[in-house]
PDB file of all heavy atoms in Angstrom:
ATOM      1  N   MET K 735       3.100  -2.881 -11.431  1.00 87.00           N
ATOM      2  CA  MET K 735       4.181  -1.964 -11.781  1.00 87.00           C
ATOM      3  C   MET K 735       5.513  -2.697 -11.896  1.00 87.00           C
ATOM      4  O   MET K 735       6.324  -2.414 -12.776  1.00 87.00           O
ATOM      5  CB  MET K 735       4.271  -0.848 -10.735  1.00 87.00           C
ATOM      6  CG  MET K 735       3.111   0.127 -10.764  1.00 87.00           C
ATOM      7  SD  MET K 735       3.009   1.084 -12.287  1.00 87.00           S
ATOM      8  CE  MET K 735       4.336   2.262 -12.068  1.00 87.00           C
ATOM      9  N   GLY K 741      13.196  -0.487 -16.363  1.00 94.00           N
ATOM     10  CA  GLY K 741      14.534  -0.048 -15.989  1.00 94.00           C
ATOM     11  C   GLY K 741      14.598   1.378 -15.476  1.00 94.00           C
ATOM     12  O   GLY K 741      15.617   1.805 -14.926  1.00 94.00           O
ATOM     13  N   LEU K 776      17.165  -3.239 -11.325  1.00 96.00           N
ATOM     14  CA  LEU K 776      17.512  -1.896 -10.874  1.00 96.00           C
ATOM     15  C   LEU K 776      18.769  -1.993 -10.020  1.00 96.00           C
ATOM     16  O   LEU K 776      18.886  -2.888  -9.172  1.00 96.00           O
ATOM     17  CB  LEU K 776      16.365  -1.278 -10.058  1.00 96.00           C
ATOM     18  CG  LEU K 776      16.593   0.153  -9.549  1.00 96.00           C
ATOM     19  CD1 LEU K 776      16.691   1.136 -10.728  1.00 96.00           C
ATOM     20  CD2 LEU K 776      15.475   0.587  -8.611  1.00 96.00           C
ATOM     21  N   ARG K 925      -4.139  -6.156   1.736  1.00 69.00           N
ATOM     22  CA  ARG K 925      -3.186  -5.797   0.686  1.00 69.00           C
ATOM     23  C   ARG K 925      -3.833  -5.709  -0.690  1.00 69.00           C
ATOM     24  O   ARG K 925      -3.176  -5.392  -1.668  1.00 69.00           O
ATOM     25  CB  ARG K 925      -2.069  -6.845   0.632  1.00 69.00           C
ATOM     26  CG  ARG K 925      -1.210  -6.924   1.866  1.00 69.00           C
ATOM     27  CD  ARG K 925      -0.221  -5.788   1.898  1.00 69.00           C
ATOM     28  NE  ARG K 925       0.853  -6.046   2.832  1.00 69.00           N
ATOM     29  CZ  ARG K 925       1.950  -5.317   2.908  1.00 69.00           C
ATOM     30  NH1 ARG K 925       2.099  -4.293   2.089  1.00 69.00           N
ATOM     31  NH2 ARG K 925       2.889  -5.601   3.781  1.00 69.00           N
ATOM     32  N   ALA K 929      -8.073  -1.997   0.391  1.00 58.00           N
ATOM     33  CA  ALA K 929      -7.590  -0.652   0.068  1.00 58.00           C
ATOM     34  C   ALA K 929      -8.486  -0.005  -0.973  1.00 58.00           C
ATOM     35  O   ALA K 929      -8.803   1.182  -0.900  1.00 58.00           O
ATOM     36  CB  ALA K 929      -6.152  -0.713  -0.427  1.00 58.00           C
TER      37      ALA K 929
END
Side-chain angles (χ1 to χ4, degrees):
M735 290 295 285
L776 181 65
R925 296 283 197 169

